[in-house]
Amino acid sequence: MSELFEAVDALVASRSPLPPPAERRRLRQAHALTLDEVAAALQVRRATVGAWESGKTEPRPPEREAYAHLLEQLATLYPALESTDAEQEDTAAAQAAAKATAAASSPPVSPPKASPSEALDSPAATRAGVEDAPSAPPVAGSRAERVSRGARRPGATKAAPANTAAPGGVYAHGPLLVLDADADRQVTGYGVGGLILDVPAKSLSALVEWTLTGARLGAERLHGSGKDADPLLVLTEAACERFGLPGSLSESERLAGRLAEGHKVVKQLQRAEWQLTKRGLGPWARIYRPAQGGRRSCVQLCIPSWRALDGRAWGHAARLEPAELARVLGVYAQRVMTPVGSPAVTGLQLMTALNPPTRASEPDADGRRHSEHRPGSLGTQPVDPAPCEAPDGHPVLAGLPRFHVRGPEEKLFEEAYDWARDLTDAECMKGYLVGLDVNLAFAAGANGAVVGLASPPVHVTRPAFDASLPGSWLVDLSHVDPSRVKVGKQWRDLDGDLLPSPFTPSGQRPEGPAWYATPTVAYAVELGYDVAPVEAWVRPEHGRFLDGWYKRLRDAYVATMADLGVGEKLSPTEFLEAMDGYKSRDPELGIVVDAVKMTVKGGIGKLREKARGGGWKPGQAWPALARPTWRPDIRATVISRARINMHRKMAALAAATGQYPVAVLSDCAVYAADGPSPLDVLPYDSGGKTVPGSFRLGVSPGMVKHEGTQSVLWGSGVLEQLAGDGHVANLARYIKTGEVTAKDTGE
């Protein structure tokens, strides 16, 4: 019988009465509770409570009964006003009209000053926006009364200026909002820290105006000589439809990457004197007016339903609820920067944001300051590459015969490793293949890299090699034996057939003169060999342009991994345990981790962005060449350093343990081992120390994590399945999942 009563109680609890969503929010805010505090008490996520208060979802058992009990207690403490919300708004409007004539002679009554946390949590402080008539004066009353009235005052058109609206400064509401619309076409903005704003704009042009004048969105500049980040608005499919935009692009618009020029919303923006960049109104769009008085008027749009958030970089972010998406993008914006496009585009923009090309000069005779080149930056003008650094089709190669194929003596070919070999008999007797992946390998390669700055390269013949001088060198390294390495003060000879050459991406030993970036030639000198360059393109003006970029991304990655339970100061065993399923602890932060990784890889790749789209012909310039950050020489330097770092670690491990990689792909190396763990490859003593200069388990850039383990039997099967024409399959490409697709097999 008791079980029946319990079942009845549970049934009643599942239908616990709840006040309307607006009243739920009023009660919480009347008691000065934050979304985080309520979420912690109910053991749910902050975004879940926000969804309950916005009416997007309803609580379900067992949380519903506890939530209803909380609201019942708060309602006892803070009873609702007798009048309805509509009556309150009418009363506020009537009061505003009655006081309008006296506003000039009598000062307005200001509400009590809220604490910073209240200011960010209360609609009275956060829901101010651009409406359709002048703002009414503040209305006095208790905090609960002010919250219940909200910020919607009929007859108001403008909010107070952004820098005077509330505590927290110009950007009190953070860098971005995710906008969503409900069935009543009411638009709600979800921001960082659980912030929820009513969005009063009825059109896209009004939305941009509100964002710049009343939303208090944006982010402080990352460098004193740089620019503040423009506010970012992320529009859900429902919000798109509310503002007259299609929920998805047509096939022709998707191929063009933008909405048609004749679309009514584009014309609407033009009538309001807003402009679009050359990429138009696409998945990532900039809407702006020319700067006046040094003040920018620009808003960035991101439209996930138009494929703005590529799944390769952002995972399932486009499918998240608005509040959850705001958290993902907000964490990325705070730790990296406000997204301005794909992670690759953002990574490139981050370089300039951290190292601006100009600064304010010292005052002249009239006391005026002017914009001048900032030392240590890339400047404001693009620089042509050396002919050997230019990709095929570049204008500096226009004089080459048509269909001419450049060899290593004509073209700099600094790329990441793609090398593999057959298993030895001894390796076939082992049980496992273990993959080791270097964390942020290209970021580690950028750290401390000396690169050319704003000046063009200088051509020299028969130069003496200078390892401190960035550039490209034509030199013969075929005599260098990379299997001879120095361990401490002792030289050790390794098996050269089991170790890739550090001088070529294929791992094959060079056969004659070729172009190399400075770090590659410097490694040959480090190995104890003399080098005699035939010619070079060098950059006398140089510096460590990428150091700040590396540190920013390194800190973002390490901080987010720490939030996922993977700290820096863990023992090897603790690190492997922490990495096991780390993304499942908080899938939203897992998205941020992947986005940071893609920011590193994509940002370096963008330094040599190739021509895209139809109509381009070899010898013609393409848009990317107009950027000062189009610098294939910097990309080559970073990749060269990453590849050399990889070889140095593999050589140190081989010298100490006799273990050699069976495959290397970019930042992943695969080893045969007797056990399935990286600890079966890497020798650690009881004190947690391993081979100096070799791979080390850890979360910091340059350290390694477990990429995956498969059986040697699996590896032998893949090698046999993909064998052909002397080709050896790269097992590092498949070690993570073990899957070989039909595309790989050519079927």
Side-chain angles (χ1 to χ4, degrees):
M1 184 65 68
S2 61
E3 294 179 355
L4 292 177
F5 280 104
E6 290 176 0
V8 170
D9 290 341
L11 184 61
V12 172
S14 69
R15 300 295 189 272
S16 296
L18 296 172
E23 177 68 3
R24 303 170 196 173
R25 185 182 304 149
R26 182 192 75 80
L27 291 171
R28 173 179 62 80
Q29 293 166 339
H31 202 60
L33 295 175
T34 66
L35 288 170
D36 284 320
E37 289 173 326
V38 175
L42 299 176
Q43 298 182 0
V44 296
R45 301 174 65 182
R46 175 183 55 203
T48 302
V49 180
W52 294 345
E53 291 187 356
S54 66
K56 292 185 69 65
T57 62
E58 287 293 311
R60 291 181 292 184
E63 293 84 6
R64 185 182 180 97
E65 182 180 14
Y67 188 46
H69 181 61
L70 168 66
L71 295 175
E72 183 180 358
Q73 288 184 308
L74 294 178
T76 303
L77 295 173
Y78 308 98
L81 299 181
E82 294 181 2
S83 58
T84 64
D85 289 344
E87 291 171 338
Q88 293 167 11
E89 290 182 347
D90 291 341
T91 301
Q95 291 175 343
K99 295 179 181 179
T101 57
S105 57
S106 12
V109 180
S110 299
K113 185 176 285 187
S115 68
S117 61
E118 289 173 331
L120 289 176
D121 196 42
S122 166
T126 62
R127 293 188 169 225
V130 176
E131 308 263 346
D132 297 332
S135 297
V139 181
S142 69
R143 181 172 186 269
E145 291 171 340
R146 297 197 313 276
V147 169
S148 69
R149 294 186 183 104
R152 293 187 164 279
R153 294 185 294 272
T157 58
K158 289 186 181 178
N163 58 349
T164 62
V170 178
Y171 307 130
H173 292 161
L176 57 89
L177 283 180
V178 178
L179 307 185
D180 192 27
D182 58 23
D184 297 327
R185 296 173 62 81
Q186 170 61 48
V187 179
T188 302
Y190 298 84
V192 176
L195 175 72
I196 300 177
L197 299 179
D198 281 340
V199 180
K202 302 297 188 294
S203 67
L204 189 59
S205 58
L207 175 65
V208 175
E209 192 78 44
W210 172 79
T211 302
L212 293 172
T213 58
R216 304 199 297 284
L217 293 174
E220 297 287 346
R221 64 196 66 186
L222 298 179
H223 188 280
S225 296
K227 301 175 182 177
D228 290 359
D230 297 321
L232 173 65
L233 299 178
V234 184
L235 274 59
T236 65
E237 190 169 353
C240 285
E241 295 172 356
R242 173 64 183 83
F243 292 116
L245 297 169
S248 60
L249 295 178
S250 66
E251 184 65 20
S252 60
E253 290 170 337
R254 188 183 64 80
L255 293 175
R258 69 189 70 187
L259 205 61
E261 293 293 331
H263 194 278
K264 62 180 181 180
V265 174
V266 176
K267 292 183 177 180
Q268 175 197 99
L269 292 172
Q270 293 171 346
R271 287 194 299 270
E273 299 182 346
W274 290 107
Q275 299 181 28
L276 295 163
T277 59
K278 291 182 179 179
R279 62 184 175 184
L281 187 50
W284 290 91
R286 283 188 177 275
I287 304 175
Y288 71 98
R289 286 180 181 142
Q292 295 181 351
R295 183 176 180 181
R296 290 168 59 86
S297 296
C298 183
V299 172
Q300 175 89 43
L301 295 186
C302 168
I303 307 179
S305 61
W306 293 8
R307 303 185 182 182
L309 301 177
D310 191 325
R312 292 170 295 181
W314 291 103
H316 63 284
R319 301 190 299 274
L320 292 175
E321 290 297 318
E324 296 170 339
L325 180 56
R327 181 188 178 220
V328 169
L329 296 177
V331 171
Y332 181 90
Q334 292 173 326
R335 293 181 176 176
V336 180
M337 68 176 291
T338 305
V340 294
S342 67
V345 172
T346 304
L348 193 69
Q349 186 66 30
L350 180 63
M351 297 179 191
T352 302
L354 292 168
N355 207 329
T358 60
R359 67 180 182 185
S361 67
E362 293 296 325
D364 59 16
D366 297 327
R368 297 180 179 179
R369 296 179 183 270
H370 307 277
S371 178
E372 66 177 12
H373 171 66
R374 188 177 154 274
S377 73
L378 299 185
T380 59
Q381 299 300 317
V383 176
D384 278 340
C388 61
E389 298 165 349
D392 294 338
H394 192 280
V396 302
L397 304 175
L400 290 178
R402 192 177 183 187
F403 304 122
H404 175 74
V405 178
R406 294 184 294 163
E409 71 284 355
E410 296 177 279
K411 179 180 179 181
L412 177 69
F413 194 61
E414 293 285 9
E415 300 293 342
Y417 268 130
D418 187 351
W419 170 87
R421 62 174 175 81
D422 284 321
L423 298 171
T424 65
D425 292 342
E427 289 166 343
C428 288
M429 299 301 294
K430 295 182 180 292
Y432 301 93
L433 294 170
V434 181
L436 305 176
D437 182 72
V438 180
N439 301 317
L440 301 186
F442 294 132
N447 183 30
V450 178
V451 300
L453 297 176
S455 299
V458 177
H459 184 254
V460 291
T461 57
R462 299 293 176 184
F465 176 69
D466 184 350
S468 66
L469 197 59
S472 301
W473 309 78
L474 180 61
V475 60
D476 188 352
L477 299 182
S478 59
H479 65 292
V480 179
D481 183 4
S483 63
R484 184 171 179 266
V485 298
K486 194 172 187 179
V487 181
K489 295 184 179 180
Q490 301 293 323
W491 287 94
R492 299 283 300 275
D493 290 324
L494 307 178
D495 190 334
D497 294 332
L498 301 181
L499 200 64
S501 168
F503 306 126
T504 63
S506 66
Q508 303 302 312
R509 195 161 174 169
E511 298 178 352
W515 285 98
Y516 302 99
T518 297
T520 302
V521 184
Y523 190 51
V525 175
E526 179 184 323
L527 293 175
Y529 289 85
D530 294 329
V531 295
V534 177
E535 59 178 307
W537 290 88
V538 297
R539 290 172 167 79
E541 183 194 1
H542 52 264
R544 294 168 60 157
F545 171 74
L546 293 173
D547 276 9
W549 184 81
Y550 159 78
K551 186 177 186 303
R552 180 81 176 176
L553 291 168
R554 182 258 179 212
D555 291 349
Y557 179 78
V558 171
T560 309
M561 291 296 289
D563 289 342
L564 288 167
V566 186
E568 289 189 271
K569 297 182 179 180
L570 298 177
S571 69
T573 301
E574 291 172 336
F575 172 73
L576 292 175
E577 291 175 352
M579 286 294 294
D580 186 19
Y582 71 99
K583 289 184 181 179
S584 63
R585 295 173 198 141
D586 192 330
E588 293 170 17
L589 289 183
I591 294 174
V592 177
V593 168
D594 289 340
V596 172
K597 294 179 185 177
M598 292 302 294
T599 302
V600 173
K601 291 185 178 180
I604 295 301
K606 278 282 184 180
L607 291 168
R608 199 192 67 172
E609 183 178 357
K610 296 183 179 180
R612 295 182 298 173
W616 175 81
K617 295 181 180 179
Q620 295 178 343
W622 57 93
L625 302 188
R627 295 193 315 248
T629 49
W630 192 85
R631 292 293 299 271
D633 57 297
I634 297 179
R635 174 186 179 275
T637 296
V638 172
I639 293 179
S640 168
R641 285 170 55 89
R643 194 181 66 247
I644 295 304
N645 287 343
M646 195 76 171
H647 186 274
R648 187 181 284 114
K649 294 176 186 297
M650 293 186 296
L653 182 62
T657 67
Q659 297 182 94
Y660 293 85
V662 300
V664 185
L665 182 66
S666 187
D667 48 9
C668 175
V670 175
Y671 285 84
D674 292 321
S677 168
L679 294 177
D680 295 306
V681 176
L682 305 179
Y684 277 90
D685 60 22
S686 58
K689 294 182 179 180
T690 187
V691 178
S694 184
F695 298 108
R696 292 176 55 204
L697 291 167
V699 73
S700 296
M703 300 178 78
V704 298
K705 60 181 179 294
H706 185 202
E707 179 69 0
T709 295
Q710 305 295 333
S711 68
V712 167
L713 184 61
W714 165 88
S716 299
V718 172
L719 292 175
E720 183 177 350
Q721 181 183 6
L722 301 182
D725 299 328
H727 172 75
V728 178
N730 194 321
L731 298 178
R733 183 170 281 110
Y734 316 107
I735 192 70
K736 188 170 187 176
T737 64
E739 297 179 1
V740 180
T741 65
K743 180 180 178 181
D744 298 317
T745 61
E747 297 179 358

